[in-house]
């Protein structure tokens, strides 16, 4: 049956940085689809709040504190998941940071920090779980890319460099692991209403106008919009999709620009 394609019963899903925003939405949707969900974060306090959110939604949640850039902590964290829940079937590399700083004003340390979290950490997590997926001839890895995997803009050079690299790292994981029935894809959100974008979204920030005119859908995306794409890529429905970046962007990447006053219809 078609609905069975999206049934994740018995699957173990790890969403990194999943205590709020896009990651939280993904965790809930995968949990509703039957997955045993694990979320990690840097903060036990945020994980406790996340467990309560899941409880109120009638969902179970397993949580772990670890820094995704710390190879030893990642190895120990995955080992605990494997002991308590089973091997990781679905990895969502969601944790991410952004630093909005002009290139000439940016310290190299700022650039390195963004690259470590947004590009190196997804590799650390994937290298830790892929051997088991390869051995079982089954696995799903979803790397959280961005429309900034394709476009740059002023002040986000580190972020765009990381997300652009993650797009091609996703392709390379596909080239090496697809033959073992492991599907590695990315999601490229457009502008989504989360904490990460609150600084450029709230009030009358000029960025709002840019997003409204550049996004054909005429709205900011919601975390739920991204979570639905994650369900597809985590499910059997996407077993022949590999190395692909699924953009969830309201059409912004399809849009060169919008001439105000033109009559569309
Ligand atoms: P967010 O609200 O800032 O959440 C990011 C999460 O990552 C937070 O839970 C954060 O934990 C966690 N995190 C950061 N560094 C970490 C580390 N070293 N170890 C473990 N966890 C860490 O971001 P979001 O908007 O939901 O975005 C989620 C993902 O989607 C990110 O990869 C982002 O780049 C990407 N994305 C977002 C948008 C958008 O418009 N919002 C668009 C395209 C792509 P703490 O809160 O404890 O720091
Ligand atoms: C920015 C935004 C973007 C979004 C997202 C767009 O400052 O331009 O934060 O980078 O987070 O990545 O897809």
């Amino acid at each position: 049956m078609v609905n069975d394609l999206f049934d994740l019963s018995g699957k173990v899903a790890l969403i990194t940085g999943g205590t709020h925003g896009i990651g939280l939405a993904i965790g809930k949707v995968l949990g509703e689809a039957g997955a045993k969900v694990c979320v990690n974060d840097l903060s036990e306090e945020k994980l406790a709040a996340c467990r309560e959110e899941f409880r109120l939604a009638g969902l179970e949640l397993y949580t772990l504190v670890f820094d995704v850039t710390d190879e030893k902590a990642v190895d120990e964290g995955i080992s605990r998941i494997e002991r308590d829940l089973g091997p990781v079937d679905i990895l969502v590399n969601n944790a991410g940071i952004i630093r909005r700083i002009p290139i000439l004003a940016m310290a190299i340390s700022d650039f390195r920090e963004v690259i470590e979290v947004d590009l190196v950490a997804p590799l650390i997590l994937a290298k830790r779980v892929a051997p088991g997926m390869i051995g079982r001839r089954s696995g799903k890895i979803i790397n959280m890319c961005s429309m900034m995997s394709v476009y740059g803009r002023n002040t986000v050079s580190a972020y765009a460099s990381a997300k652009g690299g993650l797009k091609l790292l996703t392709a390379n994981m596909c080239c090496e692991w697809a033959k073992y029935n492991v599907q590695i894809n990315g999601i490229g959100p457009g502008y989504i209403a989360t904490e990460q974008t609150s600084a450029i979204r709230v009030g009358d920030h000029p960025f709002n106008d840019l997003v409204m005119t550049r996004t054909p859908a005429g709205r900011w995306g919601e975390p739920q919009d991204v979570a639905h794409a994650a369900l597809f890529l985590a499910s059997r429905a996407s077993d022949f999709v590999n190395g692909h970046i699924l953009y969830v962007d309201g059409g912004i990447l399809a849009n060169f620009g919008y001439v105000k006053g033109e009559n569309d219809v």
Side-chain angles (χ1 to χ4, degrees):
M1 298 289 286
V2 168
N3 287 345
D4 293 345
L5 281 173
F6 298 93
D7 181 358
L8 301 181
S9 300
K11 299 291 186 184
V12 174
L14 168 60
I15 298 98
T16 63
T19 57
H20 54 270
I22 290 170
L24 173 62
I26 292 174
K28 284 183 173 178
V29 165
L30 299 192
E32 287 163 14
K36 289 186 277 185
V37 176
C38 174
V39 157
N40 95 295
D41 203 287
L42 291 162
S43 154
E44 175 49 39
E45 185 182 356
K46 291 183 179 179
L47 287 170
C50 190
R51 287 195 296 270
E52 178 61 11
E53 278 232 34
F54 269 67
R55 186 188 68 79
L56 293 173
L59 298 168
E60 292 185 12
L61 177 65
Y62 181 93
T63 60
L64 282 173
V65 175
F66 64 82
D67 180 338
V68 292
T69 66
D70 180 336
E71 288 183 76
K72 183 172 182 296
V74 167
D75 182 48
E76 290 168 354
I78 301 293
S79 296
R80 286 185 60 184
I81 295 170
E82 290 167 343
R83 182 195 67 200
D84 296 346
L85 298 181
V88 174
D89 301 295
I90 302 162
L91 168 64
V92 183
N93 277 314
N94 171 76
I97 60 173
I98 192 168
R99 298 279 183 271
R100 298 184 183 94
I101 310 168
I103 292 171
L104 293 180
M106 175 176 60
I108 297 299
S109 58
D110 282 320
F111 186 88
R112 283 202 175 104
E113 186 183 1
V114 174
I115 296 293
E116 281 294 325
V117 177
D118 294 9
L119 179 57
V120 178
L123 178 62
I124 292 170
L125 271 292
K127 277 174 63 70
R128 177 58 180 80
V129 302
M133 293 178 171
I134 289 168
R136 295 190 303 277
R137 295 296 189 272
S138 172
K140 299 280 187 180
I141 296 175
I142 301 169
N143 294 320
M144 196 56 70
C145 295
S146 162
M147 57 174 276
M148 296 298 168
S149 296
V150 177
Y151 279 148
R153 83 171 182 88
N154 59 314
T155 77
V156 295
S157 61
Y159 183 84
S161 300
K163 295 299 188 179
L166 188 55
K167 175 172 177 274
L168 269 295
L169 178 60
T170 300
N172 277 271
M173 290 176 181
C174 162
C175 296
E176 295 190 20
W177 302 339
K179 64 171 98 39
Y180 304 110
N181 192 38
V182 178
Q183 289 83 47
I184 311 96
N185 292 289
I187 295 177
Y191 283 98
I192 313 298
T194 69
E195 277 183 33
Q196 192 239 47
T197 54
S198 57
I200 58 171
R201 174 165 41 87
V202 294
D204 59 354
H205 194 290
F207 211 88
N208 256 318
D209 291 341
L210 176 67
V211 172
M212 288 303 114
T213 50
R214 282 298 314 275
T215 306
R219 67 174 175 89
W220 284 79
E222 294 297 330
Q224 201 74 2
D225 293 318
V226 182
H228 297 150
L231 173 59
F232 167 67
L233 291 177
S235 75
R236 289 191 297 113
S238 61
D239 279 358
F240 200 57
V241 179
N242 226 319
H244 181 73
I245 310 300
L246 178 53
Y247 292 99
V248 183
D249 66 357
I252 198 169
L253 284 181
N255 182 28
F256 165 67
Y258 184 78
V259 181
K260 285 189 176 177
E262 291 287 302
N263 295 323
D264 290 349
V265 296

